[in-house]
């Protein structure tokens, strides 16, 4: 993933604490490792007991030991840091995706006849969700932000770089679609496919796996009904996308079958008020329930 980025002072601290920087998750710009990252890594290595050695785990001869290092340890450090630092608040909303399902079918039928100039022949739901979310982030910049505690500032990001939490055999990683608000759904789809291939073949660069300003986490058809995702530090919000399924709904006083999906969002309540989180999700919901404006190509 490229060279380790750290200042001389941070490297000195790592030597003093006996921390191998190659195993540390960098939370600074361009994944630069900060002194706090080194201290958090050292604290996790010592265990959660304020410096006390971890209690040995009783084992059976049939148990299998999997090394807790590399990417898995970096994931653990980032999740632990996020839960320690952020005041997580969860909000959930239901979205009627019936029109989105119909639009995607229409788009894919058109692409099967005439591929998009970008080379896209088929799109999933995710690019539409990314586009609707990017639009909403422009309306609510406090969710496209980070908290700089050292400076005492909330930094609203100038770009919308969408992180897509992705499960791999090695663990959870977050490839980034840069400037998602400036890309069409077709362009987002192409970039997601490109990043997925780079991730699958372990060819993704450090830049492609860092620098997100907001993260979406989705398990596709395994997405379940509800989850409370952990914020991707140092961001202030993460949105969970759950599976689209046919369920009964009440429309105009009648029970009908619709394609419904839940969105769950975890926000750092120190930075984002619950009311603003609800308004943000309402904006995403509005875009997905009236999706014609998301796909700006001829179909």
């Amino acid at each position: 993933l490229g060279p380790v980025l750290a200042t001389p002072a941070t490297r000195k601290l790592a030597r003093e604490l006996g921390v191998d920087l190659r195993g540390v998750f960098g939370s600074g710009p361009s994944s630069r490792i900060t002194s706090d990252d080194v201290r958090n890594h050292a604290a996790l290595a010592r265990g959660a007991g304020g410096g006390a050695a971890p209690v040995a785990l009783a084992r059976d001869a049939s148990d299998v030991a999997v090394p807790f290092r590399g990417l898995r340890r970096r994931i653990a450090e980032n999740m632990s840091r996020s839960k320690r630092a952020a005041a997580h608040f969860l909000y959930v909303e239901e979205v009627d995706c019936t029109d989105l399902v119909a639009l995607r079918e229409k788009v894919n039928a058109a692409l099967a006849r005439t591929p998009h100039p970008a080379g896209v022949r088929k799109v999933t739901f995710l690019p539409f969700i990314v586009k609707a979310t990017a639009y909403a982030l422009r309306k609510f910049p406090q969710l496209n932000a980070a908290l700089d505690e050292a400076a005492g500032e909330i930094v609203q990001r100038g770009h919308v770089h969408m992180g897509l939490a992705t499960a791999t055999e090695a663990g959870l990683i977050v490839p980034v679609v840069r400037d998602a608000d400036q890309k069409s759904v077709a362009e987002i789809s192409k970039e997601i496919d490109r990043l997925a291939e780079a991730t699958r073949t372990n060819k993704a660069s450090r830049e492609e796996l860092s620098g997100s300003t907001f993260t979406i986490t989705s398990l596709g058809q395994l997405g379940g009904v509800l989850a409370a995702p952990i914020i991707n530090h140092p961001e202030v919000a993460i949105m969970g996308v759950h599976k689209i399924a046919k369920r009964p709904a009440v429309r105009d006083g009648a029970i009908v079958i619709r394609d419904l999906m839940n969105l769950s969002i975890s926000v750092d309540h120190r930075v984002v008020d619950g009311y603003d989180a609800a308004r943000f999700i309402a904006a995403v919901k509005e875009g997905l329930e009236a999706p014609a404006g998301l796909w700006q190509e001829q179909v």
Side-chain angles (χ1 to χ4, degrees):
L1 295 180
V4 173
L5 300 179
T7 65
T10 299
R11 293 179 184 277
K12 181 175 182 293
L13 176 64
R15 290 194 296 271
E16 293 172 350
L17 296 179
V19 171
D20 184 350
L21 290 178
R22 291 172 298 179
V24 178
F25 181 94
S27 64
S30 300
S31 294
R32 183 178 298 279
I33 298 171
T34 67
S35 295
D36 283 343
D37 295 333
V38 173
R39 294 188 186 96
N40 288 332
H41 182 97
L44 185 63
R46 291 194 302 267
V55 177
L57 180 70
R59 304 191 188 195
D60 185 86
S62 62
D63 295 342
V64 177
V66 178
F68 184 54
R69 58 176 179 253
L71 178 60
R72 175 52 57 190
R73 181 176 281 275
R74 294 199 298 273
I75 292 171
E77 290 169 1
N78 200 36
M79 296 298 100
S80 297
R81 176 170 52 234
S82 179
K83 290 297 285 186
R84 285 196 304 269
H88 281 64
F89 168 80
L90 176 68
Y91 179 80
V92 182
E93 179 60 283
E94 183 179 73
V95 179
D96 189 334
C97 294
T98 304
D99 289 345
L100 177 61
V101 170
L103 175 62
R104 176 177 173 259
E105 290 177 353
K106 184 178 180 182
V107 166
N108 282 340
L111 291 176
R113 295 190 301 269
T114 307
H116 187 273
V120 177
R121 296 176 177 273
K122 185 177 183 181
V123 294
T124 65
F125 290 113
L126 185 56
F128 290 98
I129 295 170
V130 169
K131 186 65 176 179
T133 304
Y135 276 153
L137 286 171
R138 280 304 183 194
K139 296 178 182 178
F140 298 94
Q142 64 269 41
L143 282 93
N144 191 53
L147 178 60
D148 188 338
E149 295 186 70
E153 295 176 334
I154 299 170
V155 181
Q156 294 183 351
R157 303 297 194 180
H159 296 270
V160 177
H161 296 330
M162 198 73 68
L164 302 175
T166 304
T168 70
E169 292 183 0
L172 188 69
I173 62 174
V174 185
V176 181
V177 177
R178 284 180 153 67
D179 295 309
D181 58 320
Q182 299 178 26
K183 289 181 169 65
S184 69
V185 170
E187 290 169 336
I188 292 171
S189 178
K190 183 177 181 180
E191 182 66 358
I192 289 174
D193 289 345
R194 187 190 69 79
L195 289 168
E197 176 63 16
T199 300
R200 185 185 65 80
T201 57
N202 200 31
K203 294 179 180 178
S205 68
R206 181 180 291 273
E207 183 179 64
E208 290 170 328
L209 300 177
S210 63
S212 58
T213 61
F214 184 92
T215 296
I216 294 174
T217 178
S218 170
L219 289 176
Q221 287 302 307
L222 294 176
V225 176
L226 172 64
I230 298 175
I231 297 167
N232 184 22
H233 182 84
E235 298 163 27
V236 299
I238 183 171
M239 188 176 76
V241 176
H242 305 286
K243 66 181 178 182
I244 297 174
K246 292 188 179 299
R247 298 199 294 264
V250 178
R251 297 291 184 271
D252 299 322
I255 298 177
V256 294
I257 301 301
R258 306 287 288 183
D259 290 296
L260 302 180
M261 172 184 73
N262 288 343
L263 294 176
S264 59
I265 187 168
S266 294
V267 301
D268 187 342
H269 220 333
R270 300 174 303 167
V271 178
V272 181
D273 294 331
Y275 178 66
D276 288 328
R279 290 199 301 155
F280 167 76
I281 288 295
V284 178
K285 172 185 171 79
E286 181 181 0
L288 294 176
E289 290 189 342
L294 299 176
W295 183 266
Q296 299 172 347
E297 318 287 343
Q298 292 291 329
V299 293

